[in-house]
């Protein structure tokens, strides 16, 4: 029996949605364990594109999909997504989709605080998705959050709202210069969400354990990426949750011994949305080539993604932080057409070579990437379905990533479609 965690190794948007959708065929249960609708996970099946923000990317394979306690859930977004999927004939009833009683609920004041803070910060903004993610996690830790179990109990919802709203409105009005939120309006709105969602609200830890006890395989779906992790990422230019594999346990209520493998999804180059350091970023025509050929626009906010070369310092950081047992290399097709490809193998800081990722953003800002140059390829590889048929320089690039990371490449993706993939070693079978 295999239970595999799939996480992003870079700054998000590595193609996790595609890989989760593909591998979900071999899993019985797919569970999201952190983040919220800041995520945008794209699946393309039979030419049709579906972007999921909250619903786990196993839904198109008809698998049981769970939203764990570590996720922050915007109920309006969840309902909208369920309606959208059901409109496409994808069942999303309480048997297919369940949400943890302990998941935190994103409230309108958290969204407003997120947006108003970014506005106030001006040029120093983080570039958040404006979905209220940070403020929702803040309230969780401050112990004034509202959980799904509170949402579906009208009395509890009103009591909690009455306790928390005066402080939030004070902050919104007096400090952030934004409009206050009316208690009755959100109480009514959220009670209607509660009615719709109540049949889906369960104890996810119990559901996952029961499934594992019956010999069913679990896929833990990460969101964001390792370098957006609240502890290990480029703080403060990060998201507000732990995105590393260890949080798969905490975020749905299982112990570490239940996880049998960790797959890191790696874009064949690097991208980042929002502000923050990015040592191998390209500001030239190659960066523009990757942006345009890779259609690098955020799946959630539509913002242009910054692009750069593959950075082994950050990939090796992800190998260590997540305990990676396999890699899925995505968007390899996008690199086609370049005569030469660079791989950042270390940073140079004050004349010294560094191969670990610095904690200080001041140090990072002074780090220069050190590159190794490899030969590119001109061929279009997007229709190739056998590893042996890939041009030799593509194979060499993959072998170089394996050698530099010490982790085997298990999946190679050459296009957005589910079937544009080579599975070299399926972690589930
Ligand atoms: P996620 O957040 O990690 O799930 O990634 P996103 O869905 O936000 O962004 C990845 C984008 O790349 C999506 O538009 C995918 O459809 C697309 N994609 C995934 N794998 C490949 C690939 O191998 N080649 C190409 N060209 N596109 C891909
Ligand atoms: P997926 O799961 C890429 C980035 C935002 C911003 C920072 C903080 O699709 O890979 P937040 O709204 O979380 O407080 O924003 O994190 N960010 C992502 N970037 N992919 C994501 O998710 C992201 N989720 C958050 O752009 O820089
Ligand atoms: Mg995304």
């Amino acid at each position: 029996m295999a239970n595999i965690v799939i996480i992003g190794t870079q700054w998000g948007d590595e193609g996790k949605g595609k890989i989760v959708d593909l591998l979900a065929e071999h899993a019985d249960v797919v569970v999201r364990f952190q983040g919220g609708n800041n995520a945008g996970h794209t699946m393309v099946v039979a030419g049709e594109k579906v972007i999921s923000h909250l619903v786990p990317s196993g839904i198109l394979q008809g698998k049981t999909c769970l939203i764990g306690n570590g996720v922050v859930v915007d109920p309006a977004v969840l309902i909208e997504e369920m309606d959208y999927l059901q409109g496409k004939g994808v069942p999303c009833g309480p048997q297919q989709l369940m949400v943890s009683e302990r998941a935190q609920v994103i409230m309108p004041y958290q969204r407003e605080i997120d947006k108003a803070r970014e506005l106030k910060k001006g040029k120093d903004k983080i570039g958040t998705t404006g979905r209220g993610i940070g403020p929702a996690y803040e309230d969780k830790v401050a112990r004034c959050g509202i959980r799904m179990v509170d949402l579906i109990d009208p009395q509890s919802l009103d009591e909690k709202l009455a306790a928390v709203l005066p402080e939030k409105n004070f902050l919104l009005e007096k400090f952030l210069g934004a409009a206050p939120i009316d208690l009755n309006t959100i109480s009514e709105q959220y009670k209607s969400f509660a009615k719709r969602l109540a049949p889906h609200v369960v104890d996810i830890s119990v559901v996952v354990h029961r499934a594992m006890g019956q010999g069913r395989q679990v896929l833990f779906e990460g969101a964001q990426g390792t370098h957006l992790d609240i502890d290990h990422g480029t703080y403060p230019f990060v998201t507000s949750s732990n995105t590393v594999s260890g949080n798969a346990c905490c975020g749905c209520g299982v112990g570490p011994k239940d996880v049998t493998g960790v797959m890191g999804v790696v874009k064949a180059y690097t991208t980042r949305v929002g502000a923050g350091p990015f040592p191998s970023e390209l500001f030239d025509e190659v960066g523009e080539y990757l942006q345009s050929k890779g259609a690098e626009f955020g799946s959630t906010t539509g913002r242009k993604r910054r692009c750069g070369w593959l950075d082994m310092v950050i990939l090796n950081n992800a190998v260590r932080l997540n305990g990676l047992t396999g890699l899925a290399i995505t968007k390899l097709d996008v690199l086609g057409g370049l005569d030469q490809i660079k791989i950042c193998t270390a940073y140079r800081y004050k004349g010294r070579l560094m191969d670990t990722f610095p904690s200080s953003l001041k140090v990072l800002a002074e780090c220069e990437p050190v590159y190794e140059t490899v030969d590119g390829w001109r061929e279009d590889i997007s229709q190739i379905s056998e590893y042996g048929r890939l041009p030799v320089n593509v194979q060499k690039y993959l072998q170089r990533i394996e050698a530099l990371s010490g982790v085997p490449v298990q999946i190679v993706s050459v296009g957005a479609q589910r079937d544009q993939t080579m599975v070299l070693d399926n972690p589930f079978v």
Side-chain angles (χ1 to χ4, degrees):
M1 200 185 74
N3 299 314
I4 308 293
V5 182
I6 298 185
I7 53 88
T9 56
Q10 296 153 315
W11 280 285
D13 302 329
E14 296 90 350
K16 298 175 293 293
K18 172 183 166 161
I19 302 299
V20 170
D21 167 68
L22 178 91
L23 288 182
E25 183 190 347
H26 309 279
D28 303 290
V29 175
V30 180
V31 52
R32 270 278 307 267
F33 56 88
Q34 47 71 231
N37 59 309
N38 47 351
H41 294 179
T42 314
M43 298 157 268
V44 188
V45 183
E48 203 176 340
K49 182 168 167 174
V50 172
I51 299 179
S52 147
H53 301 285
L54 270 174
V55 173
S57 306
I59 199 81
L60 301 186
Q61 297 273 18
K63 300 306 162 100
T64 304
C65 285
L66 311 177
I67 297 177
N69 55 277
V71 177
V72 287
V73 179
D74 188 325
V77 173
L78 182 57
I79 291 168
E80 198 183 310
E81 225 162 71
M82 286 160 57
D83 288 344
Y84 165 76
L85 286 164
Q86 268 162 347
K88 286 182 173 291
V90 180
C92 286
Q95 292 311 310
Q96 285 84 34
L97 180 63
M98 300 171 215
V99 187
S100 169
E101 295 168 340
R102 294 180 173 82
Q104 297 280 323
V105 180
I106 296 185
M107 305 301 293
Y109 46 82
Q110 293 161 338
R111 275 196 308 267
E112 294 310 314
I113 290 170
D114 190 2
K115 287 186 243 170
R117 266 196 198 140
E118 286 279 279
L119 207 60
K120 200 174 164 76
K121 281 191 181 137
K123 66 170 182 40
D124 296 325
K125 68 180 180 189
I126 290 167
T128 72
T129 59
R131 306 299 197 254
I133 306 296
Y137 279 113
E138 282 169 42
D139 287 356
K140 171 180 180 171
V141 177
R143 294 163 291 188
C144 63
I146 293 174
R147 300 179 301 162
M148 289 303 293
V149 72
D150 308 316
L151 175 76
I152 59 173
D153 170 0
Q155 194 190 341
S156 179
L157 175 68
D158 281 339
E159 281 169 12
K160 290 193 180 269
L161 273 177
V164 77
L165 204 55
E167 188 183 327
K168 299 300 173 189
N169 277 339
F170 183 83
L171 177 64
L172 276 168
E173 274 190 287
K174 305 278 192 252
F175 184 71
L176 295 169
I181 301 276
D182 177 57
L183 191 145
N184 290 330
T185 311
I186 55 172
S187 166
E188 288 316 305
Q189 190 187 27
Y190 273 62
K191 280 175 191 157
S192 81
F193 296 151
K195 270 204 187 118
R196 172 79 190 273
L197 292 177
H200 298 261
V201 178
V202 296
D203 188 329
I204 290 298
S205 169
V206 171
V207 175
V208 176
H209 276 259
R210 202 169 285 149
M212 290 190 304
Q214 292 164 349
R216 299 169 81 201
Q217 309 206 97
V218 181
L219 191 165
F220 302 88
E221 175 180 3
Q224 290 79 55
T226 300
H227 295 83
L228 287 170
D229 182 283
I230 185 73
D231 284 286
H232 302 289
T234 44
Y235 189 88
F237 298 98
V238 292
T239 191
S240 296
S241 65
N242 284 113
T243 60
V244 292
S245 61
N247 196 26
C249 295
C250 226
C252 70
V254 304
K257 73 174 171 39
D258 293 321
V259 173
T260 61
V262 184
M263 174 172 278
V265 186
V266 187
K267 202 177 274 189
Y269 46 99
T270 310
T271 62
R272 173 162 206 169
V273 205
F278 180 175
S280 65
E281 184 167 10
L282 288 165
F283 300 96
D284 58 5
E285 62 282 5
V286 179
E288 277 164 33
Y289 181 83
L290 296 174
Q291 200 280 327
S292 112
K293 190 170 177 201
E296 294 294 354
F297 291 97
S299 314
T300 297
T301 55
R303 290 175 291 176
K304 244 187 185 182
R305 294 180 185 139
R306 300 153 64 192
C307 296
W309 295 119
L310 181 68
D311 181 340
M312 291 309 300
V313 180
I314 77 157
L315 179 50
N316 283 328
N317 202 35
V319 170
R320 190 185 72 258
L321 292 169
N322 297 290
L324 298 185
T325 53
L327 304 178
I329 311 290
T330 62
K331 303 196 90 159
L332 203 52
D333 52 305
V334 177
L335 287 178
L338 296 168
D339 290 327
Q340 294 196 310
I341 295 171
K342 290 186 183 178
I343 304 174
C344 168
T345 52
Y347 300 153
R348 185 170 285 111
Y349 174 66
K350 293 192 191 295
R352 259 187 317 119
L353 279 189
M354 263 174 64
D355 60 3
T356 54
F357 198 73
S359 306
S360 158
L361 290 202
K362 270 195 197 160
V363 173
L364 192 56
E366 285 186 52
C367 283
E368 272 178 46
V370 176
Y371 289 114
E372 170 179 313
T373 304
V374 299
D375 288 333
W377 57 90
R378 292 249 143 224
E379 297 90 332
D380 171 10
I381 60 168
S382 64
Q383 303 309 318
I384 295 180
S385 54
E386 273 176 57
Y387 184 85
R389 290 186 183 273
L390 286 170
V392 66
N393 285 347
V394 180
Q395 296 190 22
K396 278 190 184 166
Y397 187 62
L398 293 169
Q399 286 156 8
R400 194 67 193 130
I401 296 172
E402 280 190 332
L404 289 168
S405 66
V407 182
V409 172
Q410 294 183 312
I411 292 183
V412 177
S413 170
V414 292
Q417 296 262 5
R418 190 189 273 167
D419 56 13
Q420 288 177 295
T421 326
M422 285 159 257
V423 181
L424 313 178
D425 180 12
N426 188 332
F428 277 107
V429 293

